Amino acid sequence: METVEAIGKVLLVGLVLGAGLPALFAVGLRLQSLSNGTVDADGTTSGPHPALKPLAYVIFAIVVLVIVVGILWITRQTIFYYTGIKIFPFGYK
């Protein structure tokens, strides 16, 4: 049963980080394009939505933050070995 739980946890993290981050980035791109205004298929234009641009930037910042934290998590042992700095309060050998 422990194996099934471990597989479930890996599957969940893989879905969130593996498919979730690109999907979140795509939502940010869509919001940024909507903030500039759109042209419909029949040629009519809709005005820009200025509130969507900051929201897109917040989403981009979240994606970048998750990537940076992931890189720091992977390299935490090396950083600690060479500098003595513990970036995270746990996970050291």
Side-chain angles (χ1 to χ4, degrees):
M1 199 57 165
E2 293 176 15
T3 305
V4 174
E5 290 177 11
I7 290 172
K9 289 178 184 178
V10 169
L11 179 66
L12 181 67
V13 169
L15 286 174
V16 169
L17 298 178
L21 282 179
L24 195 60
F25 183 76
V27 168
L29 286 177
R30 180 68 178 151
L31 290 176
Q32 188 175 19
S33 71
L34 289 175
S35 70
N36 296 327
T38 58
V39 178
D40 295 331
D42 59 356
T44 60
T45 60
S46 63
H49 301 281
L52 295 179
K53 189 169 283 204
L55 182 60
Y57 289 146
V58 167
I59 290 175
F60 293 148
I62 290 170
V63 171
V64 168
L65 180 68
V66 169
I67 291 170
V68 168
V69 168
I71 291 171
L72 289 174
W73 178 259
I74 291 169
T75 60
R76 72 188 183 280
Q77 287 291 118
T78 303
I79 293 170
F80 178 66
Y81 179 78
Y82 286 110
T83 65
I85 299 171
K86 288 188 174 184
I87 298 172
F88 300 100
F90 51 86
Y92 296 94
K93 293 181 182 179

